[in-house]
Amino acid sequence: MGLSQDLFCNKNLKRYPKLENWDKELLYRRAIALQRFVTLLDSVLPYIVPQWQHSVGTFKCLEVVRQFFPLSKKRLYLIETFLHESESSVPNIIPKVFVNRCTAAEHRAEPAVDPECKQAIFTQIFEGLKPRDRFEKSLNYRWPLRHDQWWECKFALECIIDQGGGFRDSLADMADELCPTDENAAMPLPFFIRAPNQFNVDLNVNRDVYVSNACCKEFSKYEWIGKLMGACLRSKESLVLAFPSFVWKKLVGEPVSWLRDYVTVDSAEVKLMENIEAMDEEAFSSYFGEEKTFMCTLCDGSDVPVKPCGADLPLTYKNRPEYVELVKETKMHEFDKQLDAIRLGLLKVIPQAVLDLLTWQELEKKVCGDPNITVEALRKQTIYEDVDSNDVRVSQLWAALTNFTSEDRSRFLRFVTGRRRLPAPIYICPDKGDEIVDSLPESSTCSSTLYLPKYSSAKVAEEKLRYAAYNCIAIDTDTSPWDD
């Protein structure tokens, strides 16, 4: 079956630290059992995956075996089949939209001047694509892969003929309006807000993520965002949306949990609820007294009661378990209406069978593109402090990163900056304990700084850096963001 016990040696398990201490014979036998199960699954998969026209209710039976779908050899074929069978023809005429990037730039600099966001590129294109009369049909976004320009941009005051480049620029501009890559930039659109994790200075992961704004009720625009995501999935285009896994899982239909998933949105709240549950009565009285009530703070900073009249109901040691469960329920479903609208748009472009066959990681990658981090791109982001670019430690670092896979480099970037994708500045400094050799590197994600030790060889440097990237991501819970 293509497996041997040698595959599970320590050398091959470096990227899977949770498996390193397991018995290698046991891992091998389990792998064999999984392969045999997948062979059986493949033989019946076409019969248990509902077709494009089936009702939503028929998909409930798939949840039990969904976790095995990524192992299936027929899964990708089925996905391509469903996409092909549900696609529409290429439109005869490419719609033209007029975009003023100068006024959009002014809006991004001072969003408060244009509270309705009429000057945002997102709004200009959304309004420009609306049917002009009752005879003109709306775009359905279910085009074949070869259709690589969905609209033509006419840029005001710019001598540009859009043959695809302007269209792709507009997608990138909209993505940066929806989820700005500049952490200090004002939010030019109301649809998403910075997740609480962006403000947690003690966190070194998920510090670049956004969540839906529960206060925004423009559901037709959320639905359009979902349609754009579906169109990206069908094509080679991308719309880079920095969502946490909690959001991607909800969009794809995977179950979510408080400890494992909501931590990617607000790790401080997860830790607080853990502490409240674990406190003894004396510590509870000392920490809260009689001040706290049945209220919780949402991602947008607003305070809401977690039950009727919660503002007048004191939190006590005795009723704290009820409070914790109500907070979890409130926070886990805070922006469900907005995500439902996005998912509605997705399902108007993508068959639900496709979403059921995809993992959340695959949906993210198909919508946002492959976060391929090259060594050249990393070099452009790197700044040296108190160390020369020709220093042997720096040479060893680049040699190691050259040998890293794209996934390794993505994890390295998170280890240093807390962010998954570039752009993100990286500051290289010598290790604090300059006399120590072959120690693990340290990082400060608050300042995006890597403290680089001395190594006896390039090989040791590569091993230590890879180990740190995969194992030294610490957050205030027992849940690793790389579990999935």
Side-chain angles (χ1 to χ4, degrees), residues 56 66 222-223 226 249-254 338-348 350 352 355-356:
V56 172
R66 182 172 188 163
Y222 279 113
E223 184 178 328
K249 283 187 174 184
K250 284 208 164 194
L251 290 175
V252 85
E254 290 186 22
Q338 288 72 21
L339 292 186
D340 287 344
I342 295 175
R343 184 174 163 85
L344 177 63
L346 255 176
L347 290 175
K348 286 185 176 181
I350 301 299
Q352 182 164 341
L355 282 187
D356 280 297

Side-chain angles (χ1 to χ4, degrees), residues 80 83 87 141-151 167-168 171 227-239 349-350 362-363 365-370:
E80 292 302 320
L83 288 176
E87 71 184 24
Y141 299 93
R142 289 189 284 112
W143 305 300
L145 181 64
R146 67 179 183 276
H147 185 50
D148 57 2
Q149 185 174 359
W150 311 339
W151 57 78
F167 156 69
R168 286 188 289 275
L171 273 182
K227 290 180 179 180
L228 291 176
M229 294 167 66
C232 288
L233 192 151
R234 284 183 171 274
S235 71
K236 295 179 181 179
E237 307 305 329
S238 61
L239 187 72
V349 181
I350 301 299
E362 289 172 324
L363 176 64
K365 185 175 179 179
K366 286 180 177 294
V367 171
C368 302
D370 187 356

Side-chain angles (χ1 to χ4, degrees), residues 101-167:
R101 292 200 279 199
C102 295
T103 57
E106 292 172 359
H107 168 71
R108 291 187 65 172
E110 292 187 74
V113 177
D114 177 25
E116 295 183 1
C117 307
K118 291 182 178 179
Q119 303 306 322
I121 288 177
F122 178 94
T123 309
Q124 293 183 55
I125 295 177
F126 177 79
E127 295 296 333
L129 291 176
K130 283 183 176 179
R132 294 174 178 81
D133 53 53
R134 61 191 180 92
F135 300 106
E136 185 177 349
K137 293 183 178 179
S138 300
L139 302 179
N140 65 26
Y141 299 93
R142 289 189 284 112
W143 305 300
L145 181 64
R146 67 179 183 276
H147 185 50
D148 57 2
Q149 185 174 359
W150 311 339
W151 57 78
E152 179 184 341
C153 287
K154 296 289 187 180
F155 294 110
L157 307 177
E158 298 181 57
C159 299
I160 296 176
I161 299 176
D162 182 12
Q163 294 182 327
F167 156 69

Side-chain angles (χ1 to χ4, degrees), residues 72-258:
S72 170
K73 295 178 181 178
K74 291 187 176 181
R75 183 177 65 102
L76 295 180
Y77 167 75
L78 282 174
I79 290 173
E80 292 302 320
T81 299
F82 291 144
L83 288 176
H84 178 70
E85 290 180 350
S86 60
E87 71 184 24
S88 64
S89 58
V90 175
N92 295 325
I93 301 174
I94 298 177
K96 294 180 175 64
V97 291
F98 292 87
V99 178
N100 190 323
R101 292 200 279 199
C102 295
T103 57
E106 292 172 359
H107 168 71
R108 291 187 65 172
E110 292 187 74
V113 177
D114 177 25
E116 295 183 1
C117 307
K118 291 182 178 179
Q119 303 306 322
I121 288 177
F122 178 94
T123 309
Q124 293 183 55
I125 295 177
F126 177 79
E127 295 296 333
L129 291 176
K130 283 183 176 179
R132 294 174 178 81
D133 53 53
R134 61 191 180 92
F135 300 106
E136 185 177 349
K137 293 183 178 179
S138 300
L139 302 179
N140 65 26
Y141 299 93
R142 289 189 284 112
W143 305 300
L145 181 64
R146 67 179 183 276
H147 185 50
D148 57 2
Q149 185 174 359
W150 311 339
W151 57 78
E152 179 184 341
C153 287
K154 296 289 187 180
F155 294 110
L157 307 177
E158 298 181 57
C159 299
I160 296 176
I161 299 176
D162 182 12
Q163 294 182 327
F167 156 69
R168 286 188 289 275
D169 279 348
S170 68
L171 273 182
D173 288 337
M174 285 195 295
D176 209 32
E177 287 181 339
L178 292 166
C179 300
T181 54
D182 183 353
E183 61 184 11
N184 299 314
M187 293 297 298
L189 292 171
F191 310 113
F192 303 106
I193 56 176
R194 291 182 169 91
N197 276 345
Q198 286 211 29
F199 308 102
N200 188 344
V201 296
D202 296 324
L203 197 67
N204 65 347
V205 290
N206 297 304
R207 288 190 58 201
D208 57 352
V209 294
Y210 292 79
V211 293
S212 300
N213 183 1
C215 293
C216 182
K217 308 301 181 184
E218 297 187 63
F219 296 112
S220 62
K221 291 180 180 176
Y222 279 113
E223 184 178 328
W224 187 55
I225 292 170
K227 290 180 179 180
L228 291 176
M229 294 167 66
C232 288
L233 192 151
R234 284 183 171 274
S235 71
K236 295 179 181 179
E237 307 305 329
S238 61
L239 187 72
V240 182
L241 300 171
F243 296 154
S245 61
F246 177 80
V247 169
W248 289 111
K249 283 187 174 184
K250 284 208 164 194
L251 290 175
V252 85
E254 290 186 22
V256 292
S257 68
W258 176 258

Side-chain angles (χ1 to χ4, degrees), residues 373-430:
I373 300 173
T374 65
V375 174
E376 182 181 359
L378 286 173
R379 283 183 184 272
K380 290 179 180 179
Q381 297 290 322
T382 301
I383 302 166
Y384 303 99
E385 293 189 343
D386 299 323
V387 64
D388 191 86
S389 60
N390 295 320
D391 190 286
V392 64
R393 288 168 291 189
V394 174
S395 299
Q396 290 173 340
L397 168 67
W398 293 119
L401 291 173
T402 300
N403 291 334
F404 277 14
T405 64
S406 181
E407 173 72 359
D408 293 340
R409 288 192 284 269
S410 178
R411 292 181 184 243
F412 168 80
L413 187 67
R414 278 204 173 184
F415 169 64
V416 178
T417 70
R419 289 169 173 77
R420 298 169 298 169
R421 300 182 185 182
L422 297 172
I426 302 171
Y427 295 89
I428 306 294
C429 293

